[in-house]
Amino acid sequence: MTLLTIRIEKIGLKDAGQCIDPYITVSVKDLNGIDLTPVQDTPVASRKEDTYVHFNVDIELQKHIEKLTKGAAIFFEFKHYKPKKRFTSTKCFAFMEMDEIKPGPIVIELTRKNSPETHLEE
């Protein structure tokens, strides 16, 4: 049985320096959007530099890869605090299907609300 540890290094955003208390929520969902593992949040980013928000954290999925249902995907939601609205907002997200998982670094395309695409680096 195989456990998966994902290292989240950084995310590239045009307005990275303006994000307040940014973190990433990681979840594993089936084709119907049902969570297959406990949802996990990274700690708040370790630093912001130029167009990058740095995390450098490991997330270990709480279920063996072999026990995940067919069509499962890992979702990454980039969240930050909006003081004017007094709530935490999801700025963008990315996902990986299970067949995309491989050892070594990978760059994942982000989907961002009403904005050009950017990338999450792992």
Side-chain angles (χ1 to χ4, degrees), residues 94-114:
F95 67 93
M96 286 179 69
E97 293 174 328
M98 300 316 284
D99 62 354
E100 296 177 283
I101 294 171
K102 60 183 175 53
I106 186 170
V107 175
I108 304 173
E109 186 176 292
L110 288 172
T111 302
R112 189 169 171 182
K113 297 185 287 187
N114 304 323

Side-chain angles (χ1 to χ4, degrees), residues 13-100:
L13 299 168
K14 278 195 301 190
D15 55 354
Q18 298 170 12
C19 296
I20 298 171
D21 295 337
Y23 65 95
I24 294 176
T25 297
V26 180
S27 56
V28 181
K29 298 182 184 294
D30 68 10
L31 288 169
N32 297 314
I34 306 297
D35 288 320
L36 299 175
T37 64
V39 175
Q40 300 179 69
D41 291 332
T42 67
V44 169
S46 56
R47 65 189 166 101
K48 296 178 269 187
E49 180 180 51
D50 299 325
T51 58
Y52 290 101
V53 178
H54 294 265
F55 290 94
N56 295 313
V57 296
D58 290 334
I59 296 286
E60 185 171 297
L61 299 190
Q62 301 300 303
K63 198 172 205 178
H64 292 99
I65 291 177
E66 294 84 358
K67 292 190 176 182
L68 296 174
T69 57
K70 186 173 178 165
I74 305 168
F75 285 82
F76 304 89
E77 297 172 81
F78 179 80
K79 298 179 178 182
H80 66 116
Y81 183 71
K82 290 189 160 187
K84 288 182 183 172
K85 295 183 180 179
R86 295 187 181 154
F87 75 94
T88 298
S89 171
T90 299
K91 186 173 190 73
C92 52
F93 68 93
F95 67 93
M96 286 179 69
E97 293 174 328
M98 300 316 284
D99 62 354
E100 296 177 283

